[in-house]
Amino acid sequence: MEPKTQLATFAAGCFWHIEEAFRKVKGVLNVTVGYIGGKFENPTYKEVCSDKTGHAEAVQIEFDPSKISYENLLDAFWQMHVPAQLNRQGPDIGAQYRSAIFYHNEKQKNAAIKSKNELQKTEKYKTRKIVTEIKKAPEFYKAEEYHQRYFEKNKSRRFFTC
């Protein structure tokens, strides 16, 4: 029997933008912004932005698998950023803005690999290599409170980069 909720963790550039996008997906119950994949515990935004910690800005999604599949979350992830840009999204540059999927179990790992391979075969990415990392999810560190639901709190900044 599947658990009532599951976690999915994605990095796709500035976490403010992907948080807002995933909050609109039916079946997503909660989205938390934070840091993952770095060298030390409990990094701050300032430390992560130094591009020296190895962390990525990411979102951890709690979702209801009876309402949305992990595969559908992957589809949304691919559509909300450019996975062929190495260590950047738009004007945001640095390893903290890398594209990555952090899986929580073997089923997610296999789905992520399959999804990436299928996307790579499409016309859109035929001549551009998808650079998205697929790694086992290490510890996720929640970002500072002012980053949570950032665009809801700062409506005038909606079109700004991180």
Side-chain angles (χ1 to χ4, degrees):
M1 185 174 201
E2 283 198 33
K4 291 184 181 184
T5 65
Q6 293 182 19
L7 293 178
T9 307
F10 302 111
C14 174
F15 52 24
W16 298 339
H17 296 282
I18 59 173
E19 175 198 29
E20 181 178 48
F22 274 117
R23 284 195 181 282
K24 295 175 182 174
V25 176
K26 186 177 179 181
V28 169
L29 305 173
N30 190 42
V31 182
T32 303
V33 300
Y35 316 112
I36 194 168
K39 300 173 189 168
F40 59 89
E41 296 179 4
N42 298 311
T44 65
Y45 183 67
K46 185 176 181 179
E47 290 167 336
V48 172
C49 287
S50 75
D51 199 17
K52 295 178 183 171
T53 69
H55 292 88
E57 288 191 15
V59 293
Q60 190 160 79
I61 300 162
E62 181 182 6
F63 68 100
D64 181 342
S66 71
K67 295 189 175 154
I68 187 165
S69 69
Y70 182 73
E71 290 78 4
N72 288 134
L73 290 174
L74 286 167
D75 291 342
F77 165 77
W78 296 123
Q79 292 176 29
M80 61 182 67
H81 77 299
V82 182
Q85 291 183 330
L86 183 62
N87 295 335
R88 74 173 298 163
Q89 283 300 306
D92 297 321
I93 299 171
Q96 71 270 29
Y97 300 115
R98 68 187 176 270
S99 175
I101 299 167
F102 296 95
Y103 60 87
H104 293 269
N105 56 49
E106 287 300 306
K107 186 177 176 186
Q108 286 186 357
K109 176 184 177 181
N110 294 334
I113 291 168
K114 180 181 177 189
S115 179
K116 179 180 175 181
N117 289 341
E118 287 174 0
L119 186 63
Q120 186 65 70
K121 294 175 189 173
T122 65
E123 192 65 32
K124 185 174 184 178
Y125 292 103
K126 190 160 106 178
T127 61
R128 297 169 38 190
K129 181 174 172 41
I130 295 173
V131 295
T132 304
E133 300 173 348
I134 300 175
K135 295 185 172 183
K136 183 169 179 47
E139 186 76 23
F140 178 85
Y141 300 101
K142 184 178 176 183
E144 297 83 349
E145 192 55 39
Y146 71 93
H147 289 295
Q148 307 303 321
R149 296 180 177 263
Y150 185 83
F151 285 135
E152 287 179 24
K153 297 173 187 173
N154 300 277
K155 294 190 187 320
S156 66
R157 294 205 48 140
R158 190 167 300 269
F159 301 104
F160 286 76
T161 60
C162 290

